[in-house]
Amino acid sequence: MKKRALISVSDKQGVTAFAKQLSELGFEIISTGGTKKALEESSVPVIGVSDVTGFPEILEGRVKTLNPMIHGGLLAKFDEPAHKEQLDEHNIQPIQIVCVNLYPFQQTITKPDVRVEDAIENIDIGGPAMLRASAKNHEYVTVVVDPADYETVLSQLKDAGEVEKETSRKLAAKVFRHTAAYDALIADYMTNLVNEEAPEKLTVTFERKQSLRYGENPHQKAAFYRKPLGSDFSIANAEQLHGKELSYNNINDADAALQIVKEFTEPAAVAVKHMNPCGIGSGTTVYDAFSKAFAADPVSIFGGIIAFNREVDEETARKLYEIFLEIIIAPAFTKEALKILMGKKNLRLLTIPFHTDGKEEIRLTSVEGGLLVQQYDQFTLDHSNVSVPTKREPSEEEWKALKLGWKVVKHVKSNAIVVNNADMTLGIGAGQMNRVGAAKIALEQAGEKAAGAVMASDAFFPMDDTVEAAAKAGITAIIQPGGSVRDEDSIKKADEYGIAMVFTGVRHFKH
């Protein structure tokens, strides 16, 4: 049986060397368009697809390989008598090796101001058809979609004269993952084009960024995947400058820290432990902001993750060096800061392009057997229909503090209470089963500093006990969504103690 290989690729990395070695192994090479030209220029003997099909490429190249002379050679069972008879009858030659990758759809749609017409033209039709046909028939055909696999295929052909069945099956599985991911990107693009918000089928694709040593616990296997066209302003696109490989828990915590520090325009520092903030500070400089974040909870910050929204300088780096930390995230580090922090072998240093506007993403949360989909909570106080139901309105300083508390509380696991002043958190109560319990934790952590501070709550007060606890600790202003059937009780209690209370009309549950 004559051996044939069909090669048609948009990514031409290594393809001429691959084709040349196949030719030397006795394969007749079939190719199309730009690939054929590249092979000819490298003196690889090659036959055009049109010479095989007896039909020219038509419709600006939209139709060239969709032909029985090609697909018959890809889908035939070579040891099936009826198939062999039909191949002979129609003078169709079997194809044993297929090397195809697809039109660059992803690269096309990432170009600034790409036209819809250009995106549509880069939806490959013949390529996926050949890949899927070959992958389906992998018992007889070896299909290669990734240049990284060229050497494996060549090595086995040289050693045994054929590709191992197990290898062909693995390559076929890779093909189906590749075409599925390709179609998922197209589906996502088209769905967004027509503004479909909740399609009847959701197709998503991610590419592996790294394998992880384990998941939340050592007995759980895990890996980290990145969305191909996701936001640059994300932990998935961070550059690691130094330190140990990130763990599953590191990535989760780093993402939580990043989401919080995004809220700030002034210099800010965010410390996170177990996906909850333990200290947040803002100031005139990055050093000032971190000093406040550290002072907010110098105990919990130990072994934590720190995120900055400004370049880390030498002064700040010296203070950071004194503390055991897992990760530091920032837009950049000065040379002096890097030199200091790299003195800690295991400390992970990550940079993220804060100047890049993040794309609007959807949040995917897995449940057993299903997936929950929602928008990220990007609602701010500026979007709220704010009202003040109490007799006293907040002072200018209290308003400043309330705004900070409201930024923070939406990133704290519910039930959530934050006690803070105008530029730092003082106490955080997270993930409690009742709201007054969360308030007691936050107030206890704040201690004497609660006097004159403000309180933020992610959801309404079901009764007035939280206001009572706040008042006894010296809280002067409270921000909360309102909306309880017993709001009036909380308002009266606030008026009784002279507390200013703000209703936002929007809650920030975080589970």
Side-chain angles (χ1 to χ4, degrees):
M1 184 188 297
K2 184 186 291 185
K3 295 187 295 185
R4 268 187 168 177
L6 191 158
I7 303 177
S8 180
V9 294
S10 60
D11 178 2
K12 295 180 175 55
Q13 175 190 344
V15 74
T16 54
F18 180 61
K20 189 170 290 186
Q21 291 184 68
L22 286 177
S23 181
E24 290 169 358
L25 289 168
F27 282 85
E28 186 176 63
I29 310 296
I30 307 169
S31 191
T32 64
T35 306
K36 179 175 179 288
K37 182 180 179 183
L39 296 182
E40 287 173 335
E41 288 173 351
S42 296
S43 302
V44 178
V46 60
I47 300 171
V49 163
S50 295
D51 296 324
V52 174
T53 63
F55 201 91
E57 294 183 14
I58 62 171
L59 306 180
E60 299 176 288
R62 283 186 167 200
V63 178
K64 49 194 171 191
T65 59
L66 297 170
N67 187 286
M69 300 300 289
I70 297 296
H71 284 270
L74 298 178
L75 286 164
K77 297 178 181 179
F78 301 163
D79 56 5
E80 175 68 44
H83 283 209
K84 290 174 70 176
E85 184 180 326
Q86 289 176 47
L87 291 179
D88 291 342
E89 180 185 351
H90 297 288
N91 197 27
I92 297 173
Q93 294 291 327
I95 300 171
Q96 292 86 359
I97 301 284
V98 171
C99 176
V100 170
N101 49 54
L102 307 175
Y103 291 171
F105 180 79
Q106 180 177 329
Q107 294 91 322
T108 300
I109 63 174
T110 57
K111 293 176 182 176
D113 304 319
V114 62
R115 298 184 309 153
V116 174
E117 294 81 1
D118 293 333
I120 298 300
E121 281 306 311
N122 276 277
I123 296 175
D124 204 327
I125 302 300
M130 289 189 291
L131 285 173
R132 288 173 57 81
S134 306
K136 174 179 178 173
N137 203 31
H138 65 270
E139 187 174 345
Y140 304 94
V141 181
T142 297
V143 56
V144 188
V145 74
D146 185 350
D149 296 314
Y150 291 167
E151 186 54 43
T152 299
V153 170
L154 289 170
S155 176
Q156 292 185 12
L157 285 171
K158 291 172 184 177
D159 291 345
E162 63 181 4
V163 178
E164 296 173 4
K165 296 297 183 187
E166 183 181 356
T167 300
S168 286
R169 180 159 287 182
K170 285 182 178 179
L171 293 174
K174 193 172 194 176
V175 161
F176 283 120
R177 292 194 298 271
H178 183 79
T179 56
Y182 190 79
D183 282 341
L185 285 173
I186 295 168
D188 186 58
Y189 176 81
M190 296 297 293
T191 300
N192 290 332
L193 204 60
V194 296
N195 297 314
E196 185 73 62
E197 292 185 353
E200 75 291 345
K201 292 189 185 298
L202 180 67
T203 52
V204 294
T205 184
F206 293 84
E207 53 197 27
R208 190 179 64 209
K209 181 179 172 74
Q210 69 184 89
S211 296
L212 302 172
R213 285 174 295 158
Y214 53 82
E216 281 183 294
N217 300 291
H219 60 273
Q220 295 170 271
K221 294 180 180 179
F224 184 28
Y225 287 81
R226 170 175 50 199
K227 190 175 181 182
L229 297 177
S231 170
D232 290 335
F233 196 178
S234 73
I235 195 65
N237 287 300
E239 180 184 358
Q240 184 166 349
L241 305 181
H242 179 71
K244 289 195 302 184
E245 187 177 82
L246 293 170
S247 71
Y248 182 98
N249 291 332
N250 289 157
I251 293 164
N252 259 330
D253 286 340
D255 177 65
L258 184 61
Q259 297 309 317
I260 302 169
V261 84
K262 283 181 181 182
E263 298 276 355
F264 293 86
T265 53
E266 69 276 23
V270 173
V272 163
K273 282 289 286 292
H274 302 298
M275 295 184 67
N276 274 307
C278 59
I280 295 176
S282 65
T284 54
T285 66
V286 69
Y287 181 84
D288 181 32
F290 177 67
S291 297
K292 291 169 183 173
F294 176 77
D297 191 344
V299 175
S300 298
I301 201 172
F302 183 85
I305 280 77
I306 309 294
F308 295 96
N309 62 355
R310 295 289 194 280
E311 182 180 56
V312 174
D313 57 23
E314 181 179 0
E315 183 184 26
T316 308
R318 292 192 184 281
K319 189 171 181 70
L320 289 163
Y321 189 85
E322 297 171 358
I323 311 160
F324 168 60
L325 299 169
E326 291 278 359
I327 302 172
I328 301 172
I329 305 166
F333 298 83
T334 65
K335 289 181 180 180
E336 296 79 10
L338 268 181
K339 185 176 180 181
I340 293 166
L341 295 172
M342 283 181 173
K344 290 199 168 186
K345 180 181 177 182
N346 295 327
L347 176 62
R348 296 126 169 130
L349 303 177
L350 306 180
T351 58
I352 291 174
F354 277 63
H355 61 276
T356 304
D357 289 334
K359 296 179 182 177
E360 188 171 335
E361 300 271 3
I362 56 172
R363 187 173 186 87
L364 308 176
T365 304
S366 63
V367 296
E368 190 167 359
L371 188 71
L372 289 168
V373 179
Q374 67 171 345
Q375 293 177 317
Y376 274 84
D377 184 0
Q378 296 178 328
F379 210 87
T380 69
L381 200 60
D382 293 334
H383 304 127
S384 300
N385 186 17
V386 174
S387 62
V388 179
T390 50
K391 293 177 182 176
R392 187 174 77 80
E393 292 208 1
S395 67
E396 185 177 339
E397 186 71 6
E398 285 171 335
W399 268 118
K400 186 179 176 184
L402 291 169
K403 289 176 181 179
L404 173 64
W406 195 243
K407 285 179 182 178
V408 175
V409 78
K410 83 174 187 181
H411 295 281
V412 180
K413 292 291 182 77
S414 302
N415 286 318
I417 294 288
V418 172
V419 174
N420 64 280
N421 59 28
D423 49 18
M424 65 183 284
T425 57
L426 303 170
I428 297 173
Q432 298 305 300
M433 286 63 72
N434 62 75
R435 194 151 300 281
V436 71
K440 286 177 179 177
I441 291 171
L443 291 166
E444 182 179 348
Q445 185 185 2
E448 294 180 357
K449 294 178 182 177
V454 305
M455 174 183 284
S457 173
D458 65 326
F460 63 63
F461 297 151
M463 50 191 70
D464 63 8
D465 51 2
T466 303
V467 180
E468 180 83 36
K472 289 181 177 178
I475 295 294
T476 63
I478 295 173
I479 187 167
Q480 58 129 323
S484 169
V485 294
R486 299 184 63 176
D487 273 349
E488 198 56 41
D489 292 346
S490 294
I491 295 167
K492 286 179 180 178
K493 186 64 67 175
D495 284 337
E496 180 184 330
Y497 286 99
I499 292 174
M501 186 179 288
V502 173
F503 282 0
T504 65
V506 175
R507 75 179 189 203
H508 284 306
F509 274 166
K510 188 172 189 288
H511 292 98

